[in-house]
Amino acid sequence: MNFINICFSFKGRINRTAWWMMHFLIIAISTITYAAYTASSYLLFITLVSAWMQLAVTAKRWHDRNKSAWWTLVYLIPIIAGIGGLSVWTLSGWWTLIYFIPIIAGGTWALVELGILKGTKGENRFGADSETSSETVIELLIRLCGISSIVFVFGIFFFVFREGAGFLFNGLDLGQFLTSPEWYPTSLSNKRYGTFALILGTFSVTALAMCIAVPFGLGAAIFVSEFCSPKLRETFKIIIELLAAIPSVVWGFIGLTLMNQLIIAVFNVPIGLTMLNGSIMLALMSVPIIVSIAEDALKAVPDSYREAAEALGATRWQVIYRVLLPAAKNGLLAAVLLGAARSIGETMAVLMATGHSVNIPSGPLSWIRTLTATIAAELGEVARGGEHYQVLFIIGVLLFTITFLVNLIADLVIKGIRQE
Amino acid sequence: MNTDMQVSPEAMFTETEIGKQKRWIENVMRIFFLVMTSLMIIPLLLIVGYLLYKALPVLSLEFLFTNPKDNMRAGGLWAPFLGTIYLVVVSLLVAAPIGVFAAVYLNEYARESWFTRITNLAVVNLAGVPSIVHALFGVGAFVLFAGLGESILAASLTLAIMTLPVIIASTTEALKAVPMSFREACWNLGATRWQTIRRIVIPNSISGILTGVILQVSRAAGETAPIMFTGAVFYKAIAEGNLFAYNITEQCMALSLHLFTISTQVPDVTEGIPYGTAVVLVGSVLLVNAVSIVLRIYVRTRKKW
């Protein structure tokens, strides 16, 4: 039985699960449409369709119990008795409670019949066994959930773009937006929305973070995959996993307190909230990603490669350097790319640790501001729908595009190895 | 005589110069990489130790069960702690079924095709979208378009979409670990695809699926950016000790945002309170993670195939 038949046909049988799921589906759809639309003609249409569906589903469920679909009329008992009961209630005393017995009894009986009891086994006068009839509904749900990621990715782009589109096509000077370092969104006389300094801030802090994270990440991946005993490997992997679990706001807090004091003490600067501080935090956050993906890449190299190299007399280091790294280079590149994508998108840590002042970065100890931190710091303070508000959403689109491209490239690089 | 040609047994088992060098290089490299790996572990211990040390003066049960007081300069964590629990639970209720079903689709139904590849790519990209972009999406879609306003519901939905890839990835792993022969045996008995999934695949991978669900909790509890503009609020007083103090159509406080607020926006906070907040946040996240890790190890040791 296909899905259309389950929804609208009065012939055939369905089982309990299908009956319940269809009810939830109908209720969910009508709730969402009632919330989203106010046009009365459309609402009437939805009401009629969902009433039809409920009747059709219930009829097929009665068939499954080997009863005529006319039993659906049992639902009228509570209504009639209810009206009768209410009219008597106003006239006389407590004894009219007796009128409510059919209401409760009828409703409960129908609910037990339709929702709880199994259908007749094997064929009955209304059709074949219904045991697998709920699968159509379940599989449809599974398919819907399966494609939900695609829907969400498009949805994210659509809704972020939608909020910023008005100003993007009508008023924003894109050249200035991308190349001017002047970010004065709240200036009274001359508002300027140049994000160049922010873009530079994002990329410089990410680049410095990668300079720190890549050697350590790849080194750790090589150690875990090539030198470790299995037990030690498990321990390291657990620790790396815990490192990855620390929330970004806590990293920001560490940058604000511990790392701030350390940088002041080591470099003898007045304020330690600098690009270097942010980079160290980002490095610590992206190392776990780099380690886990790089380790997967190294593990994917067949053991025969290692054995062949060792049989030729190569040392472990020679095996790694001459055989494993070239063989796994795509996976390692993907690891670095994904680590970089994580750094570009990170918000709270850089907001708290980098000094947050619009500045063309001049060195590891300069204050910077990133694209993400700008949105986080300013979205709460702008008027909804204004130019500044829309510019923040356009920055969001820019960020989405950058990370999307980096992820896409990383995916293509990984797929490249698989096809070889 | 050819005594020169004979190799004495001692010589056979003595290391050659090259062999010695090889071993030496190998040991040096091993130690070098060990140091590199350890250098990443030290920060974890250092940070947790430092936070704990600084937080010791304020940590107590009372700290957890009283509201922030005196413009958040003193008091405890009750309102933000309860708020985080609300956000996590609601987002879990949304994300868990969608995520598990999505993984079932990708692993059990989808065939090798361009469409499946795009779906997988979408999962990867969803995981890669910056958290602040999720926040913008939450504002655009849930707060404004769906008309939920800034509320626990809007913030949780944003969190749910953000953490969906965590559940999908680990559920897919768990489903993949069920041997193909189990499914084939079941199909050969005449079971349908869904019956096989429900009776064979899911019962055999339920612990792995749970691991992913637990990871989602830890991830959702720590996020700040996505909830900042969709439902978390700087300050809100609620009844102490009442588990139902929040309404999901209203705003709430959250631990992560509270840490941000008191460490950057509020002057003269009592020394130790921000550290205490950080310890409670890190502590709960690491605890949840540890549960997931223990569960995973337990599953591995019990595996029957």
Side-chain angles (χ1 to χ4, degrees):
Chain A
M1 192 183 280
N2 65 26
F3 188 66
I4 303 289
N5 276 341
I6 287 192
C7 285
F8 301 110
S9 162
F10 284 85
K11 290 205 174 84
R13 301 163 54 183
I14 59 172
N15 64 8
R16 292 170 289 175
T17 324
W19 187 80
W20 281 108
M21 290 181 80
M22 283 310 294
H23 271 78
F24 281 122
L25 211 67
I26 293 163
I27 291 167
I29 291 171
S30 32
T31 314
I32 292 170
T33 30
Y34 280 128
Y37 294 94
T38 43
S40 56
S41 58
Y42 192 74
L43 285 188
L44 183 69
F45 173 72
I46 284 293
T47 313
L48 287 179
V49 170
S50 62
W52 179 285
M53 281 166 72
Q54 292 215 10
L55 285 176
V57 168
T58 305
K60 285 193 290 270
R61 185 72 191 110
W62 282 118
H63 289 168
D64 194 35
R65 297 281 308 137
N66 206 4
K67 289 186 172 65
S68 160
W70 290 109
W71 279 102
T72 308
L73 295 178
V74 81
Y75 276 129
L76 291 178
I77 299 176
I79 298 171
I80 294 163
I83 295 165
L86 279 178
S87 57
V88 182
W89 178 273
T90 49
L91 295 174
S92 34
W94 284 100
W95 64 271
T96 49
L97 271 177
I98 208 159
Y99 276 88
F100 287 87
I101 291 171
I103 303 180
I104 296 161
T108 316
W109 178 68
L111 193 71
V112 168
E113 280 277 342
L114 295 170
I116 296 172
L117 292 177
K118 265 191 182 162
T120 45
K121 251 197 166 4
E123 207 170 326
N124 67 13
R125 61 193 160 121
F126 298 103
D129 194 283
S130 67
E131 211 190 325
T132 58
S133 59
S134 57
E135 284 181 23
T136 321
V137 188
I138 293 170
E139 288 185 0
L140 184 86
L141 267 181
I142 288 176
R143 269 162 219 278
L144 281 180
C145 290
I147 61 165
S148 65
S149 307
I150 301 180
V151 175
F152 289 142
V153 169
F154 279 109
I156 289 171
F157 183 80
F158 173 77
F159 279 108
V160 176
F161 188 80
R162 202 178 80 120
E163 290 294 311
F167 191 52
L168 179 64
F169 295 124
N170 208 343
L172 181 72
D173 180 353
L174 253 186
Q176 191 201 37
F177 177 72
L178 289 173
T179 58
S180 159
E182 293 181 335
W183 175 256
Y184 295 111
T186 51
S187 162
L188 285 177
S189 54
N190 183 13
K191 291 189 173 61
R192 278 152 291 172
Y193 304 104
T195 57
F196 188 61
L198 310 178
I199 295 174
L200 267 189
T202 291
F203 281 102
S204 58
V205 79
T206 302
L208 188 58
M210 285 303 110
C211 290
I212 305 167
V214 167
F216 283 103
L218 295 188
I222 290 172
F223 182 75
V224 169
S225 134
E226 302 301 320
F227 287 107
C228 258
S229 64
K231 214 166 199 179
L232 194 61
R233 176 181 307 157
E234 282 310 304
T235 320
F236 273 132
K237 285 177 101 170
I238 287 173
I239 291 171
I240 288 165
E241 200 174 305
L242 291 179
L243 195 67
I246 294 182
S248 65
V249 70
V250 174
W251 287 119
F253 182 66
I254 301 281
L256 204 61
T257 52
L258 182 66
M259 194 48 72
N260 185 19
Q261 290 161 14
L262 273 180
I263 288 180
I264 291 174
V266 173
F267 295 98
N268 203 14
V269 286
I271 295 176
L273 300 177
T274 57
M275 186 172 128
L276 179 66
N277 191 333
S279 295
I280 295 174
M281 293 305 126
L282 288 184
L284 282 167
M285 296 175 77
S286 46
V287 147
I289 295 183
I290 298 180
V291 175
S292 64
I293 296 170
E295 202 224 329
D296 283 346
L298 288 173
K299 239 196 263 158
V301 178
D303 272 342
S304 56
Y305 284 34
R306 293 183 184 83
E307 285 155 9
E310 279 184 24
L312 289 173
T315 62
R316 192 78 70 90
W317 169 240
Q318 283 168 329
V319 174
I320 292 166
Y321 184 64
R322 299 287 173 123
V323 178
L324 291 184
L325 291 187
K329 66 175 189 301
N330 279 356
L332 300 179
L333 180 63
V336 174
L337 283 174
L338 290 175
R342 175 91 163 88
S343 297
I344 292 172
E346 183 41 52
T347 310
M348 298 317 286
V350 287
L351 172 63
M352 293 162 85
T354 57
H356 201 61
S357 78
V358 184
N359 208 355
I360 298 274
S362 58
L365 291 176
S366 57
W367 307 334
I368 56 150
R369 192 196 243 196
T370 64
L371 294 167
T372 48
T374 304
I375 303 176
E378 294 178 4
L379 189 64
E381 280 146 26
V382 296
R384 199 155 270 176
E387 283 185 4
H388 186 186
Y389 171 86
Q390 297 192 30
V391 168
L392 293 179
F393 276 84
I394 298 169
I395 295 179
V397 174
L398 182 66
L399 269 172
F400 180 87
T401 316
I402 294 171
T403 48
F404 187 85
L405 286 178
V406 176
N407 278 304
L408 192 67
I409 294 169
D411 185 72
L412 291 176
V413 167
I414 293 180
K415 289 280 150 59
I417 354 168
R418 288 219 190 111
Q419 269 159 20
E420 260 172 35
Chain B
M1 301 293 278
N2 55 355
T3 46
D4 298 349
M5 300 292 284
Q6 271 184 349
V7 184
S8 67
E10 287 80 22
M12 249 173 97
F13 294 106
T14 313
E15 229 169 5
T16 59
E17 269 308 300
I18 295 177
K20 251 184 208 159
Q21 210 182 340
K22 268 174 72 171
R23 215 157 50 106
W24 191 77
I25 293 178
E26 189 154 331
N27 281 335
V28 168
M29 292 325 284
R30 180 196 297 273
I31 289 166
F32 173 71
F33 283 118
L34 177 66
V35 168
M36 271 192 132
T37 314
S38 320
L39 274 178
M40 297 182 348
I41 290 156
I42 292 166
L44 181 73
L45 300 177
L46 199 73
I47 286 162
V48 173
Y50 175 77
L51 289 178
L52 264 179
Y53 167 72
K54 284 279 203 175
L56 265 187
V58 296
L59 282 185
S60 66
L61 267 184
E62 199 199 333
F63 182 60
L64 206 56
F65 289 108
T66 51
N67 270 329
K69 273 185 229 133
D70 198 12
N71 288 328
M72 296 196 276
R73 289 194 196 95
L77 288 178
W78 173 248
F81 190 68
L82 188 67
T84 292
I85 293 177
Y86 266 70
L87 291 171
V88 167
V89 169
V90 179
S91 73
L92 182 68
L93 289 180
V94 178
I98 298 181
V100 171
F101 268 17
V104 167
Y105 172 75
L106 287 173
N107 204 49
E108 307 291 324
Y109 285 91
R111 296 192 186 88
E112 277 291 319
S113 70
W114 60 271
F115 185 75
T116 310
R117 207 170 150 194
I118 288 182
T119 317
N120 278 314
L121 191 62
V123 175
V124 173
N125 267 299
L126 194 61
V129 171
S131 52
I132 192 71
V133 176
H134 276 287
L136 294 177
F137 166 65
V139 171
F142 299 128
V143 176
L144 299 177
F145 180 74
L148 296 175
E150 290 191 18
S151 61
I152 294 179
L153 199 56
S156 302
L157 287 173
T158 314
L159 276 181
I161 290 180
M162 178 167 188
T163 51
L164 202 56
V166 179
I167 296 187
I168 296 180
S170 43
T171 307
T172 310
E173 284 293 304
L175 296 177
K176 265 197 193 127
V178 178
M180 202 58 199
S181 53
F182 283 29
R183 297 184 183 89
E184 281 160 358
C186 195
W187 292 334
N188 284 343
L189 290 173
T192 60
R193 202 164 262 273
W194 170 248
Q195 282 169 336
T196 311
I197 293 168
R198 201 181 137 202
R199 305 276 178 197
I200 301 295
V201 180
I202 289 184
N204 275 306
S205 57
I206 188 71
S207 327
I209 295 173
L210 272 183
T211 312
V213 170
I214 295 170
L215 278 183
Q216 189 271 356
V217 168
S218 125
R219 183 79 196 284
E223 281 299 338
T224 318
I227 57 173
M228 261 174 123
F229 310 110
T230 50
V233 71
F234 283 149
Y235 182 74
K236 181 168 183 166
I238 57 161
E240 280 170 15
N242 179 1
L243 278 175
F244 303 99
Y246 284 119
N247 184 328
I248 63 163
T249 55
E250 288 167 6
Q251 294 177 307
C252 67
M253 290 181 82
L255 268 184
S256 49
L257 186 64
H258 186 64
L259 176 60
F260 173 70
T261 317
I262 58 176
S263 59
T264 62
Q265 318 276 311
V266 183
D268 311 321
V269 179
T270 313
E271 176 80 28
I273 287 190
Y275 293 95
T277 312
V279 165
V280 172
L281 182 58
V282 174
S284 20
V285 167
L286 290 190
L287 189 74
V288 170
N289 258 276
V291 170
S292 132
I293 289 169
V294 168
L295 183 67
R296 204 175 51 208
I297 292 174
Y298 171 75
V299 173
R300 209 175 296 150
T301 52
R302 258 190 41 142
K303 216 174 210 175
K304 288 161 280 183
W305 58 89

